[in-house]
Amino acid sequence: MARYFDVHPDNPQPRALGQVVQILTDGGLVAYPTDSGFALGCRLGNKDGLDRIRRIRQLDDKHHFTLVCKDFAQLGQFVQMDNDVFRAVKAATPGQYTFILEATKEVPKQMLHPKKKTVGVRIPDHRTTLALLDALGEPLMSSTLILPGRTEPMTEGWEINEELGNQVDAVLDSGDVGTDPTTVVNFVGDEVTVDRAGAGDPSPFQE
């Protein structure tokens, strides 16, 4: 069964975060809260973790996984941005957006879209997520926790623990989770497209 960590939303306990980091470092898969529902996450390069996410969500190999980053400087290591894209992404972060961009060589190959060499990136506006990322010292390879047949992300830690406790290694819960998935903005190609309208205002990216 998963280990369940209930932390304070404003001041998540460092000891609990450290234990979650250790689980991630040991190759574990965790469910954690964000400003856009819960997400599943594992360490960079954890192929088994990605395979477990695929099984839980029943995803095919064309799914865009997301690198969840703690700040803009970290995000910039993993994706290619020209000046216009740089300004647009910077203006919308942190926030409830996922951006699809060309990946740099820093991104593990198993995360990439098989044909396009693209990846999703985001910086959440959520204290517990950012504290976890800071303690980990690197981005999380993630996917929003939307179960097969559903359209909305899971938002209750206790429910995740009951339903997925035998499929994840830890559930981190701070009781303050956004209810809508991110808005997905795709910068790959000749035109910027909004692939999914969600919690983030899509209008800045629509003509």
Side-chain angles (χ1 to χ4, degrees), residues 56-72:
I56 290 170
R57 293 202 54 202
Q58 296 181 15
L59 300 170
D60 61 25
D61 64 357
K62 296 175 180 61
H63 175 74
H64 267 116
F65 283 98
T66 299
L67 280 172
V68 179
C69 303
K70 70 173 184 176
D71 55 31
F72 196 77

Side-chain angles (χ1 to χ4, degrees), residues 1 6-7 15 32 40 50 72 144 148 161 176 184 207:
M1 288 295 290
D6 188 3
V7 299
R15 183 170 178 272
Y32 66 98
L40 296 167
L50 288 185
F72 196 77
T144 305
N161 201 36
D176 58 335
V184 179
E207 292 186 4

